[in-house]
Amino acid sequence: MYKRKKRGTLKPHKSSIVLDLKPILVARNILHPSAYLLKIGVNSFTANKMLKGEAVQINFRQLTTLCLHLNCTPNDLMALRQMDLPETHALNALKVLSETTPTTVTEWLKGKTLAEIEAMMKL
């Protein structure tokens, strides 16, 4: 009997680049993230893993769907855990994963200048 090998043993806490949907969902004022992800075609198992920060892989169809519906780029969806990178490394362009995610749009905009908010609205 042939036993299928697992794709990998990468655990969410060991991955350095992670999917971080909470900030973009807050920015888009999406109150029911699970329902929203189901509505755009992400299955419930995957949606729950994505929202809990437990997703260790994402396929291009899912990534494209998220970017199209959230009007964002893949960089907006990804975050970087602590990594020891050279200052000039391209991965430094990713946002750093934060343990404290804003829960409201007002909280998310807090501390930003008017110019920064205007620049975000032009996206």
Side-chain angles (χ1 to χ4, degrees), residues 23 97-103 107:
L97 184 64
S98 171
E99 296 300 321
T100 58
T101 302
T103 55
E107 190 178 317

Side-chain angles (χ1 to χ4, degrees), residues 76-117:
D76 297 327
L77 302 175
M78 303 294 171
L80 192 64
R81 286 188 203 264
Q82 293 291 36
M83 287 182 72
D84 194 17
L85 296 171
E87 196 174 301
T88 57
H89 198 284
L91 279 176
N92 287 322
L94 288 177
K95 64 185 174 204
V96 176
L97 184 64
S98 171
E99 296 300 321
T100 58
T101 302
T103 55
T104 66
V105 175
T106 307
E107 190 178 317
W108 185 71
L109 292 173
K110 191 177 189 177
K112 291 185 174 44
T113 66
L114 185 56
E116 290 173 324
I117 294 169

Side-chain angles (χ1 to χ4, degrees), residues 21 33-52 54-55 61-62:
L21 288 180
S34 294
Y36 180 80
L37 292 175
L38 291 173
K39 181 180 166 186
I40 66 171
V42 178
N43 70 49
S44 61
F45 179 77
T46 303
N48 285 332
K49 283 204 168 274
M50 287 178 173
L51 293 171
K52 289 180 182 176
E54 296 174 358
R61 183 192 58 79
Q62 293 167 332

Side-chain angles (χ1 to χ4, degrees), residues 36-42 50 58-72 77:
Y36 180 80
L37 292 175
L38 291 173
K39 181 180 166 186
I40 66 171
V42 178
M50 287 178 173
I58 182 169
N59 65 42
F60 284 106
R61 183 192 58 79
Q62 293 167 332
L63 185 60
T64 303
T65 299
L66 288 170
C67 289
L68 287 173
H69 286 88
L70 292 170
N71 188 24
C72 65
L77 302 175

